[in-house]
Amino acid sequence: MKFVVADRISRLPSQFFSGLTRRVAAVQAAGHDVINLGQGNPDLPTPPHIVEALRRAVLDPATHKYPPFRGLPKLKEAAAAFYQRTYGVTVDPETEVAVIVGGKTGLVELAELYLNPGDVALVPDPGYPDYLSGIALAGGVAYPMPLLAERSFLPDLDAVPEQVWDRTRLWYLNYPNNPTGAGATPEFFQHVIAKASEHRTLVVHDFAYGAIGYDGKRPPSFMAQPDAKEVGIEIYTLSKTFNMAGWRVAFAVGNRDVIEHINLIQDHYYVSIFAAVQEAAAEALTGPTDCIDELVNAYQVRRDAFVQSAQEHGLYVPRPDGSFFCWVPIPNGMNSVAFAEALLSQAHVAVAPGAGFGDHGEGYVRVGLLAPPDRLAEAARRMAMFVRQS
Ligand SMILES: Cc1ncc(COP(=O)(O)O)c(C=O)c1O
């Protein structure tokens, strides 16, 4: 028998990057030394004290039962304490924090919660592709906000037409930004809050790379701005700050109604997250912070190794403010897919073509700083040589 999926499933965008993994594997299978910087999967291990907290918790049979539907109070308290300590933001653990099954799930749930068919969601372009997945499932319409180098990759809020604002229910933002590596300023966030309250739009700030800011600058939290709780929430994942991408744990903080609605939809989808993982996540958020400093330092060393080697070999790479990505303008006029394909087959370096992040990603490739500094320096050298020869 052949089964046909429901309309909402057939609306899902195709996974632009799935072919890349296959092509990398094929080039590797042919015996080449591939430097794979195409993905966003942290390569370093979870800090040992967090792994140890999981081990302890998993040995306690109490964690083997269904956890509370809305997450362990201990984890919500830890998230609130983390926001207080890190950003000076006060949130009530019970009503202003929701435990979510990884940031990606939360982003999709928000579209399901707030978009009726035809409603608009503003998305960054280029941006993290999964915003589009939730919008498509809900039957919503994505309105891309261009992120341009000449505006430091911050969208022009005054460029959105009134008719679009009238239909806008949801607004996704993400700084430090994937893929551009750009950071936001408190002033920008204040402008966002003013626009959002004027147009009664819910802001979802995806703070996935919140911990990763360079040159001693800590990326600002949207929630730290006055009135942010009135208009929005922030999603904080443990995937990047603590190298816990496989653990699938994140939380949302902010507006009470939105937190209640996230809990409501999750009451129907999940029974929260394995309690032992929640125990370990609480340890991550309240435990020693030197692991975060070490991680950020490691990425900064990698960033500098890549940028410097590129420069030495004649390829211009702007330094990102944050995240673990370099957003590299393609200097030879090739389109991003053709460039990435040729770079992989000829120089054995895998990067993500900018077009996969939206129309305004064309002309760039994204390099993940997810290899040791010497490999990144070598990748930059190979890229520069490839450009010179093409
Ligand atoms: C911008 C952005 N948001 C959200 C996520 C999702 O992270 P997770 O689902 O692991 O919490 C990612 C992961 O790569 C990301 O780059």
Side-chain angles (χ1 to χ4, degrees):
M1 258 200 294
K2 211 165 152 39
F3 298 98
V4 179
V5 294
D7 292 349
R8 65 181 161 281
I9 302 300
S10 51
R11 283 196 300 265
L12 280 170
S14 61
Q15 288 284 5
F16 188 91
F17 295 106
S18 54
L20 182 68
T21 319
R22 274 197 310 276
R23 283 190 295 279
V24 169
V27 179
Q28 273 165 336
H32 299 295
D33 167 32
V34 175
I35 307 177
N36 186 357
L37 311 176
Q39 280 151 342
N41 203 347
D43 59 314
L44 294 168
T46 307
H49 67 282
I50 303 172
V51 177
E52 177 55 26
L54 176 78
R55 197 188 64 81
R56 270 198 319 272
V58 88
L59 290 173
D60 176 359
T63 63
H64 304 172
K65 300 179 173 174
Y66 290 121
F69 268 52
R70 295 185 170 200
L72 292 189
K74 181 178 179 178
L75 176 54
K76 291 188 267 191
E77 281 155 24
F82 178 81
Y83 257 68
Q84 187 71 63
R85 187 185 71 200
T86 317
Y87 302 112
V89 170
T90 308
V91 286
D92 174 53
E94 227 5 79
T95 57
E96 294 178 331
V97 178
V99 173
I100 51 182
V101 190
K104 178 177 161 118
T105 312
L107 294 164
V108 172
E109 284 167 1
L110 283 151
E112 289 187 284
L113 281 169
Y114 294 107
L115 297 181
N116 282 315
D119 287 345
V120 170
L122 306 181
V123 293
D125 175 5
Y128 179 59
D130 287 14
Y131 306 131
L132 301 179
S133 314
I135 298 168
L137 280 175
V141 180
Y143 183 86
M145 299 181 98
L147 308 187
L148 307 175
E150 57 266 33
R151 296 186 61 90
S152 308
F153 300 108
L154 296 172
D156 180 358
L157 310 191
D158 299 322
V160 178
E162 280 303 312
Q163 322 80 277
V164 173
W165 280 119
D166 290 345
R167 291 166 50 214
T168 299
R169 299 286 167 269
L170 206 53
W171 181 358
Y172 290 103
L173 284 168
N174 162 233
Y175 291 98
N177 182 254
N178 174 9
T180 65
T185 58
E187 295 70 36
F188 169 74
F189 282 147
Q190 283 152 24
H191 193 184
V192 168
I193 291 167
K195 279 279 174 194
S197 23
E198 184 187 340
H199 297 286
R200 304 189 62 74
T201 297
L202 166 59
V203 177
V204 176
H205 183 234
D206 176 3
F207 207 22
Y209 300 91
I212 309 170
Y214 296 123
D215 307 313
K217 294 193 200 110
R218 171 177 286 157
S221 160
F222 178 73
M223 292 320 298
Q225 312 312 316
D227 298 328
K229 269 191 212 170
E230 281 298 307
V231 299
I233 60 157
E234 188 155 77
I235 295 193
Y236 198 101
T237 175
L238 279 73
S239 293
K240 321 286 165 160
T241 309
F242 301 102
N243 292 324
M244 291 171 71
W247 299 52
R248 312 311 304 137
V249 55
F251 59 90
V253 293
N255 185 281
R256 276 170 199 237
D257 281 350
V258 180
I259 296 300
E260 172 57 28
H261 296 155
I262 293 174
N263 281 323
L264 173 69
I265 197 167
Q266 295 198 146
D267 286 347
H268 295 269
Y269 271 142
Y270 316 104
V271 188
S272 194
I273 301 170
F274 179 28
V277 167
Q278 295 192 59
E279 290 279 349
E283 170 63 24
L285 294 168
T286 52
T289 53
D290 38 350
C291 58
I292 306 178
D293 300 337
E294 282 162 23
L295 184 71
V296 175
N297 282 340
Y299 283 132
Q300 180 152 332
V301 169
R302 291 172 172 199
R303 177 197 70 164
D304 293 345
F306 184 77
V307 171
Q308 204 174 320
S309 165
Q311 250 158 25
E312 278 164 18
H313 294 96
L315 174 68
Y316 169 65
V317 176
R319 269 174 219 272
D321 301 323
S323 83
F324 47 56
F325 300 112
C326 285
W327 188 233
V328 184
I330 297 172
N332 61 3
M334 280 171 95
N335 80 50
S336 61
V337 171
F339 182 91
E341 298 272 349
L343 185 69
L344 176 59
S345 57
Q346 292 169 36
H348 311 138
V349 176
V351 296
F357 301 96
D359 289 349
H360 289 87
E362 190 48 273
Y364 291 85
V365 290
R366 189 193 72 178
V367 170
L369 301 170
L370 299 167
D374 58 327
R375 294 289 281 170
L376 286 163
E378 168 61 8
R381 188 192 68 79
R382 290 190 199 174
M383 277 177 82
M385 294 302 154
F386 165 79
V387 168
R388 217 176 285 169
Q389 284 154 17
S390 61

